[in-house]
Amino acid sequence: MPYTINTPRDQQEMLEAIGVESLDELFAMVPEEIRLGGDLHIPPAMSEMEMTRHMAELAGKNQSTADSVCFLGGGSYDHFVPAVVDFVASRSEFYTSYTPYQPEVSQGNLQATFEYQTLITQLTGMDVSNASVYDGGSAATEAVLMSLAATRRSGRVVTTDTVHPEYRQILQTYLANVDTELITVAASDGRIDLPRLTEQITDETACVLIQHPNFFGSLEDVERIALAAHNAGALLIVSVDPMSLGLLRRPGELGADIVVAEGQSLGTPMLYGGPYLGILACREKFLRRMPGRICGQTVDRRGKRCFVLTLQTREQHIRREKATSNICTNQGLFALRASVYLALMGPQGMRELGNLCLQKARYAAERICQSERFELAFDAPTFKEFVVRDIDGNVDDLLAHAASQGVFAGVPLGKWYPDLADCFLVAVTEKRTQADIDRLVSALRANSRKVAASYA
Amino acid sequence: MRNTQSTQLLFELSSPGRRAARLPACDVPERPVEELLPAELLADQPPPLPELSEPDVVRHYTNLSTMNMSVDTNFYPLGSCTMKYNPKRNERIAAMAGLADLHPYQPEESLQGMLQLLFELQEMLVEISGLDVVSLQPAAGAQGELAALMMAAAYYRQRGEQRTKVLTPDSSHGTNPASAAMAGFDAVTVNSNGNGCVDMDDLRSKLDEQTAVFMITNPSTLGLFDQQVAEIASVVHGAGGLIYLDGANMNAILGITRPGDFGADMMHFNPHKTFSGPHGGGGPGAGPIAVRQQLAAYLPSPIVVQDGDTYRLDDDRPLSIGRVRSFFGNVGVLVRAYIYIRTHGPDGLRRVSENAVLNANYLLARVKHFLPIPHGDRCMHEFVASAAQLKTDRGVTAMDIGKRLLDFGYHTPTVYFPLTVAEAIMIEPTETESKETLDAFAETLLRVVDESPQLLHEAPHTTTISRPDEVQAARKPVLTWVAE
C-alpha cells in the first residue's frame, strides 16, 4: 500500500464519521454472492528496490537500440531526443494534469496546445490542426472517416499498398462495419502507378489516402495524385514523415486536403510502439468534421487573451452517438514533446536534419549495394528509408546475424508483401554516424562470408 | 511577481537567426540536395517555424507549467477521471533504456523481457477482470470499447445473427454511444430508475433479438454499484446479448469483485486511471480489453503468447477483427500499469479500493449536510452532489461552485456529468489523499456554498485568467497564431 495515506487511526475516525463499523461494511452495496471470496491470484507486492531490480532484469533480457545500432524504421524511428524535451515533459505540472476542462487553471496546457496546433500548421502548410489523436494509424483512419462525412460519399475509399501496411489494417478494421469499399491499388516500382490509381477513383470515392515519403521511403508525385483525386471530387489525404518537411515541399502546397502523420519522431523515444502522437491537420472547410480536442483563442472577463477547448459540440461527451468520432483523450504529453522539439529545431534545424537524413541514407544505400549480394529494390528517389533486395534471398538469416552483431539492419518486408520476401527496409536517421553505417555494411557482409565459409 | 513573458507565445518570442538545436556536421560525403531529389519536390524555404534559443524554450515551458493545476500540486477530485498520485518510481523505471529504447519491429528474440512483461500483464488483467483473455492493443478506453463492439459484430456475423442495437444507460460516458455508432450499431438509451441504477422495465422493453450488447458502467458514473447487475446479465444473456463493462470505475472494486464474476462478457481497463498512468494533460491513455473465451478469437491481433521459455507475438488469428492501433499499443502506459500492479500485489490492490471507497464515503458524509446527494448516503469511489437547490434558492450553479474552489487551490470536480443529475458535481477523491485534505476540502466547500452569489458568479478571482468567453471562441474560431 505504498501510496495510500490513511493510518489505522484515520480509518477508524473516518468509519465512525460515516457511521459504519468496518471497511467491509462500506461495500454493502456489492452483493455477497458476487464478491471475490479470497485474494486475487497475482504475485505478492514488491518494494521499490525489489521492483527496480526486477525491472532491470526484464530490461536486461531485451537488446535495446541504446546498445545496438538501429536502422529500423517503418513508422517508428531512432531520431535524437534533446534533453530539453525530457526536461519539459517531466515537469509534473504537465504530466500529472488532465484534460483542460477548467481553463482558468490549465492555461499552461491550453497555450501549449494552441502552440502545437500552430506549429503543425506551419510544418504541414495546412489551415488547422486538432490537439492530436492516438497515433499515425488512427490519424489516417480518422481522416478517412472525416472524408466520408465531408464529401457525403460512402461508397469507396481508395488507397495504395505504398501506405503503411498497419495503417491500412486499422482502416480495414474500422471500415468493416460500415458499407464502404476499400480499394488498395498495387504499386509499380515502389511508387503509386498513377493511371492505375486514377482508374479506381470513381464519383463515389470519398478520398484517396497516400503516404509521402511512402512506406518504402520513396517520394510520390503528390501534386498529380491530388489532381486525379480532385477531378473526381474526392479528397486527398496525405500521410507524411514530419522529419522530411525541412526539405520537401509541404503537403498543403501540393494539394492535400487532410494531412496526417506519426509524430513519434518529434521528440518521443520508440517505446516499443507507443504511446505516440497522431497528427491530424486539414483545410479550414473541414474543421467541423475533425475528431478530437481542439483548442482556440479567446479573451477572459477582463479582456485578457486566453485559450480554451472549443468546438466541443463535435465531441462524444456532448454529441454522444452523433459525435464526429468516439475519441476522448488526445496525446497531450506527446503533443507537448513535439512542440518543444519543433521549438528547439526551428526552421534551420529542420532543414539541416532533413539534409543529414537524406545524405546519410544515400551514403548507406550506396555502401550496401557495393556488395554484389544487394541491390536497391526500386529506382524512385527516397528520403531517409529505402528497400534493399538480398539477391541470395536469405533475409531472415541475414537480419538475425546482423542483430547478433549488435546491428538492427532493417525491417523484413515479406510479412506484408510476399513478393518482397527477399527485401528489407532500411532507415537512416541523423543519429547514424559514418562508423555506424560501416558497421551495418560489415554486419551484412560478414553474413555473406559466414554463409560462404560454412559451405566451404 | 507574475512573469508577463510567460504568456507570450513561442511565435512572439521568435527572433530571426536565433537557434537552439545544433546538429553535427555531416560525416559522410555530401552532395547537393538538388542532385539527390527532384527539384519539384523540394521546398524553397524551410517551414516558417519560430526561431528561439534553448534558454527561451526552457523558460517559456517552465512558466507555462506553473499555470496548470496538477495532481502533484493540488487536490484534483475530478470525478470519473481517478486523479490519483502518479508514482515517481514508475517514471524512472519506465525510462530504462532496456524498456524505452526498443523499436517495435525488433526481432522477438531481442524483446524477450518486454514480451514477458506484457504477457504477465495480460495474465494479471485476466485475473483482475475475472475474464479469460486480454488484448493490450487499444490506445484508450474509447478505442477498447470500439474494438469490443467490433468484436461483438464479428461474433454475431459468425453466428449468422443479425443484431443491430447497442443499449447504453443514460448515465453512461459519451464514448459508449459514440463507439456504438462507429461500430455500425444503432445506439439506444436505457433510462435510470430513481435510485440511479438501470431501470429494469425500460431495459426489458428495449431488449430484443436485435440487441447485440448492453454497455454498463459498474460502479456507475453516479458512484453506485448496481446491485441488479447479476439480474441484468441474466436478462441480457437470456435475449442472446452480450454485456460490456466500461471499466472506468475499476478503482472501486479491485480485489472486491470481478466483472467476469458479475456477468460481464467484455470490458476495458483504463490503466491511466486505475493503474496510475500519468494523465499527461489529456493523454496518453491505454485501453486493454478482457473478454470471455467465446469471444477470444475476435480480439485484435497480435497478442503475446508463451511457448515454453520464450514469448512471441501471435497474429495468426483468422477470426480476429484485425488491428485497431499500429505497432503493439501504448506500451509506456502498460509498463507503468505493470509496475503499479506488481508494487501492490493482491492485498495492496484491495486496499487501494478500500481506501478509495473510504475516502469517498467520508467526504460524502461531511458534504451531505450542506449539499444534497440525490442518490443516497453511501457511495463507492465517487459520489455526485447536486447544486439544483442552490440554483433555485440563490441562483448559484454547479459551475459557480466549481470555479470558486479554484481560488482555494482545489481543482473543480467534474460538473454537469452525468447528465441524469441536475447541476451535478461529481467528486472522486481517490485513495491517495489524506483525511486532512478531505477535511480541508469539505470545510472550503461548506464556506463556498454560503458565499454571495455575485462573488461566486465572478469566480475564480485569483487565477492566471478569469472566466474565458467560450461563446466567442466557438463563434469565431481562432485556432492558430497568425502574425499581425
Side-chain angles (χ1 to χ4, degrees):
Chain A
M1 294 65 55
Y3 318 120
T4 51
I5 299 181
N6 300 324
T7 63
R9 207 179 89 187
D10 292 334
Q11 289 188 342
Q12 203 46 49
E13 287 175 16
M14 292 164 84
L15 290 170
E16 280 167 27
I18 297 164
V20 294
E21 299 279 320
S22 65
L23 285 171
D24 199 48
E25 205 182 325
L26 286 177
F27 289 92
M29 62 177 110
V30 181
E32 205 55 53
E33 57 276 18
I34 58 167
R35 295 271 196 105
L36 185 65
D39 279 341
L40 288 167
H41 293 101
I42 59 173
M46 276 195 246
S47 67
E48 181 173 358
M49 262 191 278
E50 291 166 312
M51 194 71 220
T52 305
R53 197 179 303 133
H54 171 69
M55 294 299 285
E57 277 169 20
L58 283 180
K61 293 184 190 174
N62 299 322
Q63 179 185 343
S64 89
T65 58
D67 38 49
S68 317
V69 189
C70 179
F71 291 93
L72 304 177
S76 174
Y77 301 97
D78 186 24
H79 287 285
F80 183 72
V81 179
V84 171
V85 176
D86 284 333
F87 166 79
V88 171
S90 65
R91 291 282 303 189
S92 65
E93 298 93 329
F94 282 126
Y95 82 79
T96 75
S97 63
Y98 199 26
T99 308
Y101 294 120
Q102 300 301 328
E104 297 88 343
V105 291
S106 310
Q107 282 301 299
N109 282 330
L110 285 162
Q111 184 171 329
T113 302
F114 183 81
E115 290 172 345
Y116 164 82
Q117 291 172 184
T118 305
L119 290 163
I120 294 303
T121 57
Q122 292 175 338
L123 190 66
T124 58
M126 301 306 285
D127 300 326
V128 286
S129 163
N130 73 1
S132 73
V133 294
Y134 307 133
D135 68 328
S138 73
T141 301
E142 292 285 342
V144 168
L145 299 177
M146 276 174 73
S147 77
L148 300 181
T151 59
R152 298 175 192 272
R153 294 178 176 187
S154 55
R156 181 176 271 203
V157 167
V158 175
T159 186
T160 81
D161 67 0
T162 55
V163 171
H164 196 304
E166 292 189 359
Y167 295 8
R168 289 185 283 117
Q169 288 168 0
I170 298 167
L171 185 56
Q172 195 174 12
T173 305
Y174 272 63
L175 291 180
N177 299 300
V178 298
D179 209 11
T180 301
E181 184 186 17
L182 177 63
I183 302 286
T184 307
V185 179
S188 75
D189 193 30
R191 294 176 86 188
I192 288 172
D193 181 326
L194 189 59
R196 210 186 289 163
L197 180 80
T198 310
E199 241 170 59
Q200 295 296 332
I201 309 173
T202 64
D203 58 5
E204 278 300 301
T205 303
C207 68
V208 177
L209 167 66
I210 67 167
Q211 181 173 332
H212 165 75
N214 69 27
F215 186 69
F216 303 128
S218 307
L219 306 186
E220 300 281 12
D221 190 351
V222 180
E223 274 181 304
R224 287 175 62 201
I225 298 164
L227 208 59
H230 293 158
N231 281 342
L235 304 189
L236 179 69
I237 303 170
V238 186
S239 174
V240 297
D241 177 355
M243 308 312 252
S244 70
L245 296 175
L247 275 190
L248 300 182
R249 285 174 72 197
R250 301 182 296 168
E253 296 157 23
L254 301 174
D257 297 292
I258 308 176
V259 173
V260 295
E262 174 51 70
Q264 173 268 331
S265 293
L266 302 169
T268 292
M270 294 180 289
L271 304 171
Y272 188 52
Y276 285 174
L277 172 69
I279 293 172
L280 197 160
C282 67
R283 298 200 185 281
E284 179 122 38
K285 64 175 163 181
F286 306 122
L287 169 62
R288 283 164 206 275
R289 304 286 181 189
M290 269 197 163
R293 293 169 182 152
I294 296 174
C295 172
Q297 179 181 312
T298 185
V299 291
D300 74 357
R301 298 163 61 91
R302 300 177 202 120
K304 182 175 176 187
R305 175 174 72 183
C306 62
F307 304 93
V308 294
L309 292 180
T310 192
L311 303 176
Q312 295 189 64
T313 49
R314 300 164 298 109
E315 290 186 72
Q316 47 76 29
H317 61 287
I318 312 277
R319 291 278 280 168
R320 299 177 73 85
E321 67 272 17
K322 295 191 180 64
T324 54
S325 164
N326 72 332
I327 283 187
C328 174
T329 51
N330 67 337
Q331 301 295 105
L333 196 60
F334 298 90
L336 177 70
R337 294 185 76 100
S339 297
V340 177
Y341 183 87
L342 288 169
L344 291 168
M345 295 299 285
Q348 286 312 318
M350 287 306 282
R351 170 145 288 198
E352 288 169 18
L353 173 105
N355 183 52
L356 284 175
C357 292
L358 175 71
Q359 300 289 347
K360 291 179 182 221
R362 206 50 73 93
Y363 173 76
E366 282 167 12
R367 293 273 285 115
I368 291 168
C369 295
Q370 280 168 2
S371 159
E372 288 186 357
R373 181 174 169 178
F374 302 113
E375 63 180 19
L376 290 182
F378 309 119
D379 285 334
T382 55
F383 171 55
K384 74 179 183 199
E385 285 180 287
F386 52 90
V387 176
V388 176
R389 173 168 287 121
D390 174 13
I391 291 164
D392 292 358
N394 197 9
V395 170
D396 288 348
D397 287 348
L398 178 77
L399 297 179
H401 174 77
S404 74
Q405 306 290 299
V407 178
F408 293 126
V411 178
L413 293 177
K415 177 178 158 192
W416 299 297
Y417 304 93
D419 57 337
L420 298 178
D422 56 349
C423 294
F424 56 101
L425 179 67
V426 179
V428 187
T429 70
E430 81 287 2
K431 263 176 90 172
R432 298 288 78 87
T433 61
Q434 185 170 27
D436 289 340
I437 296 168
D438 291 344
R439 247 182 98 183
L440 166 71
V441 170
S442 80
L444 293 175
R445 288 226 181 110
N447 182 252
S448 322
R449 275 205 295 278
K450 188 183 141 225
V451 172
S454 65
Y455 289 102
Chain B
M1 209 199 70
R2 209 165 273 295
N3 184 347
T4 53
Q5 291 283 328
S6 67
T7 56
Q8 282 193 284
L9 295 165
L10 284 175
F11 318 100
E12 294 161 342
L13 295 166
S14 173
S15 177
R18 244 179 227 150
R19 293 199 56 166
R22 308 258 166 206
L23 289 152
C26 187
D27 65 349
V28 301
E30 198 172 352
R31 276 185 281 160
V33 174
E34 297 72 26
E35 279 179 26
L36 299 176
L37 296 176
E40 68 269 20
L41 294 174
L42 291 174
D44 296 337
Q45 291 170 1
L49 298 166
E51 299 178 68
L52 301 153
S53 71
E54 180 166 325
D56 285 338
V57 174
V58 169
R59 184 168 293 163
H60 175 73
Y61 281 104
T62 304
N63 278 328
L64 283 189
S65 77
T66 64
M67 291 154 66
N68 285 340
M69 273 193 182
S70 67
V71 171
D72 279 358
T73 53
N74 301 82
F75 179 44
Y76 210 125
L78 187 65
S80 204
C81 296
T82 313
M83 301 300 290
K84 64 169 72 178
Y85 170 68
N86 302 138
K88 303 311 158 196
R89 69 187 70 166
N90 297 9
E91 297 305 305
R92 188 163 78 179
I93 293 171
M96 286 177 180
L99 299 170
D101 294 334
L102 301 178
H103 188 282
Y105 294 144
Q106 282 183 217
E108 287 172 3
E109 306 82 70
S110 70
L111 294 166
Q112 286 300 303
M114 177 55 84
L115 294 177
Q116 179 184 339
L117 181 159
L118 295 169
F119 179 81
E120 290 178 6
L121 180 61
Q122 286 175 184
E123 297 290 293
M124 294 190 297
L125 294 181
V126 161
E127 171 65 12
I128 293 166
S129 66
L131 292 163
D132 299 320
V133 190
V134 160
S135 161
L136 300 173
Q137 189 177 91
Q143 201 177 46
E145 291 170 12
L146 178 61
L149 293 174
M150 289 169 167
M151 290 170 61
Y155 167 79
Y156 287 116
R157 245 193 323 269
Q158 184 75 15
R159 291 164 62 101
E161 293 182 50
Q162 286 269 328
R163 290 179 180 258
T164 54
K165 290 195 327 197
V166 167
L167 310 186
T168 64
D170 51 8
S171 59
S172 71
H173 297 106
T175 53
N176 290 185
S179 297
M182 278 183 83
F185 290 105
D186 299 323
V188 176
T189 303
V190 174
N191 297 330
S192 302
N193 62 20
N195 303 321
C197 294
V198 174
D199 180 333
M200 291 303 293
D201 291 337
D202 197 47
L203 172 63
R204 283 201 180 86
S205 77
K206 285 167 180 163
L207 190 66
D208 56 21
E209 66 283 358
Q210 302 292 305
T211 305
V213 180
F214 179 59
M215 301 179 85
I216 184 170
T217 309
N218 199 28
S220 71
T221 58
L222 289 161
L224 303 172
F225 193 91
D226 197 325
Q227 303 187 350
Q228 315 165 108
V229 66
E231 188 190 352
I232 292 169
S234 107
V235 170
V236 171
H237 290 151
L242 296 168
I243 297 279
Y244 182 85
L245 180 94
D246 180 331
N249 295 335
M250 285 299 289
N251 209 44
I253 58 170
L254 297 170
I256 306 288
T257 180
R258 305 187 303 172
D261 297 342
F262 58 74
D265 303 297
M266 314 185 278
M267 71 169 291
H268 75 259
F269 286 92
N270 292 112
H272 54 297
K273 299 179 182 176
T274 315
F275 303 127
S276 77
H279 283 65
I289 46 180
V291 299
R292 282 196 202 285
Q293 195 62 51
Q294 82 233 42
L295 292 156
Y298 305 95
L299 281 168
S301 275
I303 57 178
V304 187
V305 294
Q306 185 177 23
D307 281 341
D309 288 342
T310 61
Y311 299 87
R312 64 178 178 82
L313 295 175
D314 178 14
D315 59 3
D316 182 17
R317 305 174 56 252
L319 291 177
S320 164
I321 57 162
R323 273 187 175 278
V324 294
R325 167 70 165 76
S326 60
F327 311 120
F328 190 83
N330 279 357
V331 177
V333 181
L334 301 172
V335 167
R336 286 166 177 80
Y338 176 89
I339 300 169
Y340 185 84
I341 295 170
R342 301 249 12 212
T343 299
H344 283 80
D347 190 49
L349 284 188
R350 195 183 63 250
R351 283 176 197 277
V352 162
S353 287
E354 285 173 353
N355 282 282
V357 172
L358 177 66
N359 279 2
N361 276 284
Y362 177 69
L363 196 52
L364 186 157
R366 296 219 44 177
V367 167
K368 67 179 178 186
H369 303 295
F370 56 88
L371 206 54
I373 317 292
H375 293 98
D377 260 7
R378 289 291 147 68
C379 65
M380 297 294 284
H381 65 302
E382 66 189 358
F383 62 93
V384 180
S386 170
Q389 195 60 45
L390 269 175
K391 190 176 174 191
T392 311
D393 295 348
R394 304 172 53 224
V396 170
T397 65
M399 186 62 85
D400 292 338
I401 292 172
K403 294 291 188 195
R404 180 65 176 142
L405 286 170
L406 300 173
D407 283 327
F408 295 90
Y410 299 114
H411 195 279
T412 306
T414 295
V415 287
Y416 301 101
F417 182 80
L419 311 174
T420 51
V421 175
E423 297 295 319
I425 302 175
M426 184 191 216
I427 301 175
E428 180 180 12
T430 84
E431 72 282 4
T432 59
E433 298 296 337
S434 66
K435 179 172 173 293
E436 290 85 341
T437 299
L438 304 181
D439 284 335
F441 177 74
E443 279 151 30
T444 304
L445 198 53
L446 172 62
R447 172 179 162 178
V448 166
V449 297
D450 274 340
E451 285 184 320
S452 89
Q454 193 58 32
L455 183 79
L456 294 173
H457 297 327
E458 289 173 9
H461 301 274
T462 60
T463 46
T464 322
I465 60 160
S466 58
R467 283 195 210 188
D469 185 344
E470 303 201 14
V471 175
Q472 180 189 319
R475 190 179 297 149
K476 276 193 73 180
V478 178
L479 309 178
T480 55
W481 175 82
V482 182
E484 295 195 357

